[in-house]
Amino acid sequence: MFQSFRSAMTWIHTWFGLVLGFVLMGAFFFGALCVFDREIDKWAIPEARFEVQPMPSFDRVLLPEFEAMSPSLETMQIWGIVADNRSSLIDLVSIHETSAQGDARTERVVKMLDPRTGKVTNGDHFKIGSEFFYPLHYSLTLDWQGLGEWIVAFSGMMMLAALISGIVIHRKLFREFFTFRPGKGFRRSTLDLHNLTGVVALPFHFFFAFTGVLIFVGQYFPIGTTQLAQLHELHEQLEIGESKIPTERSGHAAPLASVDAMMAEARRRWAAHGMPGEVGVIHLRFVGDANAHVAIYPAATNSLQDLLNGVHFNGATGAVLQVDPAPNAVQQVAGFLTGLHLQPFRHWPLRWLYALGGLAGCVCIATGLLFFVEKRKHQHAKQGSQAIHVVDALAVTTVTGMVIATLGILIVNRLLPDTLPAGWPRHDDLERYAFWFAWLLAMAHAFWRTAPVAQGRMAPAWVEQCWTITVMSVTAVLLNWITTGDHLLRTLSDTYWPVAGLDLALLTVAAIAALAGRKIKRRAENASMIAESVAQDAARA
Amino acid sequence: MAARISSRQQIALHVVAALVANYVFTWGFIALGVAGLFAAGTEFHDAESLASMLGLLVFLTAFLWTFAARSLPRACLVLVGGGALMAGTASLIQALLIRAY
């Protein structure tokens, strides 16, 4: 089908890049936002705007809350507490059995607790960062049959294919490191920027696409639960024989021992092994039974992996059952790969590099799409084809439309009152609707205002959406001020970076969008002036 | 125009065939990796993560190769045949291990 290896690689790069570039842009953009997911949560939930606290007392503060969340101790399955190193509010998760219709089902209750007061907050909050942008970047929130995850994973694999084929196409890899010619015409500088952002962050792009697919690989190749399920079962039987952790209730009632004492013991053990740290995750099972199990894990503040070094206790006696063994070589490699993607650590310069790498990925993909349009638009205009109109409209939808949707959810988050009137949908649903509605509007506008591309001209949609972004970004910052009183002067003087940082980022976005809009407008005017004078010359001749 | 459409269909067929054949091949590779490593004494989940890591790289390489190969039917035959053979061997190892315990 292809004349040479290089022409095959060019084909893969162009067409898979075009079709899946839109998905990849989303994964990279929202993935980059997820570096600051907990900070975005704090911007979206004013109640969460305080410094991160240590884990509160389980016996006095958390236990009563869990008892209130669970109908009875007999049906409780899991109580989980997640107090990671960047969240101020603590997540409490309770899973219990419900057998209302005769068949056993489980119900999951999630609450957020303010560790300073020990009180559960009003449940109707939406963590836009960690509960929306985060799942969006790997599943597009298309949950049916895991469809979204399959689409993103496939796009991730094709990103890897595009990177390798890109290297094959461009043999002058080293030179492209230093090549950017902004004055050499739009098409040339677009391609320069595409190559530059692709090559400079090549290891980053490769690593993130690869580890992103790797994290959910068990879903795409579910071999251990299908073809080799028997082998998996055999392994579990062998493991149960070795482990001291109970797997079922004993049937003998026994009260829960002091979990605070277990936390102290876990901290002491970590410190004794040269890894002092705070408690990050507590996991309880079979509470109220003699076989109660409490697992305590440190917060991964300075490490690549969480859920390492867990200490397991018998919940009824408080005795240590076992300590997680140090990871072996395979676990270290796997943990390193997924840990670098999930970044549980709190190293801020490194986190910023991640965000910039993600944005460089966006620039690389967007300039690829733009180059596709620029290269073909004059030829398509001559042929009278509409294909390039569709591609440009989708490019507008993905590049500026995605930012508009993101700003839409932030603005609606600040506009909705804390307590919604009776009969309204929940906060999270309304904010989600706002996000998709804003994106849909941007898409409709993009298709309407990119029609001139089919005649080989610049689409006005780009400029108009740039202005929209500027207005929306400033609106979001103002709304944050009006609804919470947290203006930039205050958050900066308090050095409360989660909110100050997002406000500053929004203002930066506003400025960049305004500059871009002005520049594109000027270029379009120049181009149309040249076209007019050419037409006049032709008419005169 | 007719030639363009038939070439479009050919391309679509090429892409689908390459994906399916590579999926089967990678499935076989990971399955054989898991069963083989487990039989050699590796912990089950470690075997899974090691085989999957390599499996993704195998998918990537084989996928690019399929497009560069001179004959698509032959490439697909090699991939599907190889995948089935590896998956079959994995099931055989599983059956032997289950009987042994």
Side-chain angles (χ1 to χ4, degrees):
Chain A
M1 195 170 95
F2 298 106
Q3 259 98 49
S4 66
F5 183 64
R6 255 186 101 187
S7 71
M9 291 303 109
T10 310
W11 189 88
I12 289 180
H13 191 89
T14 308
W15 294 100
F16 278 101
L18 175 72
V19 175
L20 299 171
F22 303 107
V23 181
L24 287 171
M25 268 291 280
F28 268 78
F29 180 69
F30 292 109
L33 289 188
C34 286
V35 173
F36 305 109
D37 56 350
R38 308 297 206 283
E39 288 65 36
I40 296 174
D41 290 348
K42 288 174 196 162
W43 192 92
I45 305 176
E47 272 181 280
R49 293 182 182 181
F50 56 88
E51 292 302 327
V52 176
Q53 311 283 315
M55 182 74 85
S57 158
F58 183 91
D59 302 347
R60 279 178 289 113
V61 178
L62 301 176
L63 184 60
E65 292 300 338
F66 274 115
E67 283 171 340
M69 283 159 78
S70 319
S72 85
L73 284 183
E74 279 81 51
T75 56
M76 85 72 81
Q77 278 202 334
I78 294 170
W79 287 347
I81 303 122
V82 182
D84 64 71
N85 47 37
R86 290 190 295 125
S87 292
S88 46
L89 293 174
I90 290 176
D91 277 340
L92 309 185
V93 185
S94 166
I95 300 174
H96 55 263
E97 286 162 26
T98 55
S99 47
Q101 281 91 34
D103 55 343
R105 287 199 187 149
T106 57
E107 191 187 22
R108 190 183 143 96
V109 185
V110 183
K111 295 249 156 105
M112 279 187 276
L113 179 125
D114 185 336
R116 299 167 306 172
T117 61
K119 295 276 183 300
V120 169
T121 62
N122 168 18
D124 191 16
H125 280 312
F126 191 33
K127 294 182 182 171
I128 292 177
S130 53
E131 285 179 350
F132 186 63
F133 293 156
Y134 180 61
L136 191 65
H137 100 279
Y138 64 81
S139 75
L140 314 170
T141 65
L142 269 177
D143 295 332
W144 181 77
Q145 300 285 322
L147 180 68
E149 280 156 26
W150 276 90
I151 295 175
V152 175
F154 176 59
S155 308
M157 285 312 289
M158 290 308 116
M159 171 95 191
L160 296 175
L163 289 172
I164 294 179
S165 53
I167 297 170
V168 175
I169 302 169
H170 304 279
R171 279 177 290 198
K172 290 169 262 172
L173 207 61
F174 185 70
R175 195 187 295 171
E176 277 164 0
F177 240 109
F178 306 101
T179 310
F180 179 49
R181 290 160 287 184
K184 271 245 176 172
F186 186 57
R187 205 166 113 183
R188 187 68 241 175
S189 44
T190 307
L191 186 60
D192 279 348
L193 200 56
H194 178 66
N195 295 339
L196 180 84
T197 47
V199 172
V200 165
L202 187 65
F204 177 91
H205 300 326
F206 196 93
F207 190 85
F208 268 77
F210 180 72
T211 52
V213 181
L214 188 64
I215 290 170
F216 291 118
V217 71
Q219 191 176 327
Y220 315 125
F221 292 97
I223 293 167
T225 51
T226 55
Q227 194 197 337
L228 299 182
Q230 287 177 303
L231 209 58
H232 192 186
E233 229 165 78
L234 175 70
H235 151 76
E236 274 179 358
Q237 283 164 1
L238 294 174
E239 197 180 49
I240 288 169
E242 287 169 13
S243 169
K244 294 185 186 117
I245 296 172
T247 53
E248 54 189 12
R249 289 173 185 275
S250 70
H252 303 290
L256 186 67
S258 166
V259 177
D260 288 349
M262 299 180 211
M263 283 202 269
E265 172 62 16
R267 277 195 214 101
R268 189 194 65 75
R269 282 177 180 252
W270 296 326
H273 284 86
M275 295 172 294
E278 259 311 312
V279 174
V281 175
I282 311 177
H283 200 255
L284 298 99
R285 288 174 78 199
F286 316 133
V287 172
D289 189 275
N291 265 357
H293 166 218
V294 179
I296 299 179
Y297 300 91
T301 304
N302 293 315
S303 89
L304 270 178
Q305 292 181 64
D306 47 8
L307 299 183
L308 266 186
N309 305 313
V311 185
H312 300 262
F313 296 88
N314 178 311
T317 63
V320 174
L321 292 173
Q322 71 179 51
V323 179
D324 283 343
N328 61 31
V330 176
Q331 287 158 351
Q332 273 178 5
V333 172
F336 173 77
L337 291 177
T338 50
L340 266 185
H341 192 115
L342 297 171
Q343 38 180 318
F345 48 82
R346 204 164 45 177
H347 190 290
W348 285 106
L350 198 53
R351 297 189 77 86
W352 267 102
L353 272 184
Y354 272 50
L356 293 177
L359 293 177
C362 290
V363 172
C364 181
I365 300 161
T367 46
L369 294 173
L370 289 182
F371 181 70
F372 183 92
V373 174
E374 284 304 313
K375 197 174 164 186
R376 288 164 181 79
K377 76 178 181 188
H378 294 294
Q379 190 196 350
H380 280 224
K382 272 186 222 143
Q383 292 167 349
S385 160
Q386 284 295 319
I388 214 72
H389 172 198
V390 175
V391 173
D392 202 39
L394 288 175
V396 173
T397 311
T398 334
V399 178
T400 47
M402 191 154 61
V403 182
I404 288 176
T406 309
L407 293 166
I409 195 173
L410 292 178
I411 289 177
V412 168
N413 167 277
R414 287 295 81 229
L415 282 177
L416 288 174
D418 268 356
T419 326
L420 292 172
W424 281 40
R426 289 166 49 89
H427 260 117
D428 50 351
D429 286 331
L430 284 175
E431 290 174 30
R432 256 184 253 265
Y433 298 153
F435 176 86
W436 294 114
F437 184 67
W439 208 338
L440 214 60
L441 273 185
M443 186 174 185
H445 173 260
F447 270 91
W448 172 40
R449 299 291 282 164
T450 45
V453 172
Q455 282 103 50
R457 287 185 281 133
M458 189 75 175
W462 286 105
V463 181
E464 289 160 8
Q465 296 213 358
C466 280
W467 291 125
T468 313
I469 290 173
T470 304
V471 173
M472 286 178 87
S473 302
V474 175
T475 309
V477 175
L478 289 177
L479 280 174
N480 176 42
W481 176 9
I482 296 167
T483 55
T484 65
D486 284 345
H487 51 79
L488 260 173
L489 286 180
R490 178 192 287 178
T491 47
L492 278 177
S493 63
D494 291 351
T495 57
Y496 194 63
W497 287 113
V499 174
L502 188 51
D503 274 349
L504 283 175
L506 285 168
L507 292 178
T508 314
V509 168
I512 293 173
L515 277 175
R518 224 179 71 174
K519 193 134 195 186
I520 298 172
K521 190 156 186 254
R522 206 173 285 166
R523 192 195 303 277
E525 280 166 2
N526 285 347
S528 68
M529 264 163 59
I530 293 169
E532 256 171 50
S533 68
V534 169
Q536 278 168 6
D537 288 347
R540 230 175 279 148
Chain B
M1 198 65 192
R4 246 181 95 187
I5 288 170
S6 90
S7 117
R8 264 187 206 169
Q9 280 174 343
Q10 199 194 342
I11 286 173
L13 188 76
H14 202 122
V15 170
V16 172
L19 285 174
V20 172
N22 275 295
Y23 187 80
V24 172
F25 186 77
T26 311
W27 179 289
F29 177 87
I30 299 179
L32 181 61
V34 173
L37 285 168
F38 185 77
T42 312
E43 201 257 358
F44 187 82
H45 295 286
D46 291 353
E48 263 188 333
S49 40
L50 197 61
S52 314
M53 261 181 249
L54 297 175
L56 290 185
L57 295 177
V58 164
F59 181 94
L60 185 61
T61 319
F63 181 80
L64 293 174
W65 172 72
T66 325
F67 277 82
R70 213 166 295 151
S71 154
L72 173 72
R74 203 176 54 197
C76 286
L77 206 70
V78 170
L79 289 171
V80 172
L85 193 70
M86 287 190 287
T89 317
S91 282
L92 189 71
I93 295 177
Q94 171 174 250
L96 290 174
L97 283 174
I98 299 285
R99 202 174 300 161
Y101 277 99

